[in-house]
Amino acid sequence: MFSIRGVKEGCGLFGIEHFILITITLIIICILLYFTKNFNHNQVKKVLKISCILLWILEVLKIIFVLQFTPLTSVNEYIPLYFCSMLLYATLLSNLKNKYLKRVGDVFLATGGIIGGLVFLIMPTTSLPYYPAYHFISIHSFFFHGTMIYLGLLLNITGYIKLNIKDIFYYGSLVLVLSILALIINNIFNSNLMFISKDFPGTPIHYIYEISCNLFTPIMIIGQMTLPFLVIYYIIKFINNFRRSH
């Protein structure tokens, strides 16, 4: 369960083990939502606080594990500066008293968190190709991204947050700040944090890289700053309009 990378063969994508992990994750999300869908705002706040603490503890343990066999210069492997890593910062912000910062965290969780979690479940390219399904890294990654989906749905279902189109600025500000940090580190270590500096073969990012040429970095940043929010915002708007009309 804690073997270093490369010792045991990764289970790979789209096989039976991948399918089992997706199924287990979705079942757990549904069970949690069933028991928490009627939570009041104070109860949701407690869920956010507990989630934040647990996620950061597990992230620190993951970093410690990875650094056992990864040089400090390989920042891609252990620095949490990817789109889905924003879950860590968003849960922190959601627990702050400052209204602006709290709104930034809440909006990301309610929008980008759902998209990021779903995309990873389908394509867990940073874990399953390298580790067995029962490995700590694989289990952690599905727990982490399952939590993204759960918290996003919880905030929307309970009415903890009511989204409006102007919230894209709250959402985009978090993505922009982390993208700038990622760019700085990428330029220093020749890394690809946030997947904004280099190609990522074997993923849809490769096609964006192929057609974008020198505009790859701004396209990736702007895309991450807008598209996940807009997808969830308009889905929720459609659902609400459908309910009102019936």
Side-chain angles (χ1 to χ4, degrees):
M1 186 172 182
F2 294 96
S3 59
I4 65 174
R5 178 171 167 172
V7 171
K8 295 185 178 180
E9 185 178 356
C11 76
L13 304 182
F14 311 123
I16 184 65
E17 291 174 308
H18 182 188
F19 176 75
I20 290 172
L21 285 172
I22 291 177
T23 302
I24 292 173
T25 302
L26 293 178
I27 289 173
I28 292 173
I29 290 171
C30 290
I31 292 172
L32 289 173
L33 286 174
Y34 176 80
F35 286 105
T36 59
K37 62 184 179 180
N38 295 317
F39 271 16
N40 59 40
H41 288 191
N42 287 331
Q43 290 173 309
V44 174
K45 285 182 180 179
K46 289 181 181 179
V47 172
L48 289 170
K49 185 174 183 178
I50 293 170
S51 298
C52 180
I53 294 170
L54 184 57
L55 288 166
W56 273 101
I57 290 173
L58 289 174
E59 188 68 20
V60 170
L61 291 175
K62 174 190 171 183
I63 293 171
I64 292 172
F65 170 78
V66 171
L67 284 177
Q68 292 182 71
F69 55 90
T70 301
L72 287 174
T73 52
S74 298
V75 295
N76 281 338
E77 304 297 329
Y78 66 89
I79 290 185
L81 272 179
Y82 292 99
F83 183 85
C84 292
S85 303
M86 284 187 272
L87 172 65
L88 297 166
Y89 311 109
T91 52
L92 275 177
L93 295 174
S94 292
N95 283 284
L96 298 180
K97 292 184 178 180
N98 180 281
K99 290 184 179 180
Y100 174 81
L101 294 178
K102 176 175 171 53
R103 187 71 180 181
V104 170
D106 290 344
V107 170
F108 178 83
L109 291 175
T111 56
I114 299 174
I115 295 295
L118 287 173
V119 170
F120 181 88
L121 292 191
I122 297 170
M123 293 193 66
T125 53
T126 56
S127 59
L128 296 193
Y130 310 106
Y131 298 97
Y134 56 83
H135 195 279
F136 164 70
I137 295 296
S138 299
I139 295 172
H140 169 270
S141 65
F142 274 81
F143 171 81
F144 186 96
H145 293 86
T147 302
M148 292 185 80
I149 299 170
Y150 165 68
L151 291 179
L153 293 175
L154 180 68
L155 265 59
N156 284 297
I157 291 172
T158 59
Y160 185 82
I161 184 172
K162 300 291 186 182
L163 294 170
N164 62 71
I165 193 63
K166 293 182 180 179
D167 283 325
I168 194 170
F169 296 106
Y170 290 98
Y171 166 85
S173 64
L174 177 59
V175 180
L176 180 61
V177 168
L178 294 189
S179 294
I180 292 172
L181 289 174
L183 269 179
I184 294 170
I185 297 174
N186 288 345
N187 287 329
I188 295 173
F189 292 97
N190 192 30
S191 52
N192 196 25
L193 298 170
M194 289 291 289
F195 301 123
I196 57 178
S197 296
K198 295 181 182 180
D199 190 9
F200 189 10
T203 72
I205 293 173
H206 171 70
Y207 301 103
I208 300 174
Y209 185 83
E210 286 289 302
I211 64 176
S212 61
C213 300
N214 295 330
L215 295 175
F216 175 73
T217 295
I219 286 174
M220 285 296 294
I221 293 175
I222 294 171
Q224 293 181 81
M225 285 178 61
T226 57
L227 294 180
F229 173 88
L230 293 173
V231 168
I232 296 299
Y233 173 77
Y234 282 109
I235 288 176
I236 292 173
K237 186 175 182 179
F238 172 80
I239 292 173
N240 290 337
N241 289 338
F242 180 81
R243 287 177 175 173
R244 282 194 291 267
S245 64
H246 289 77

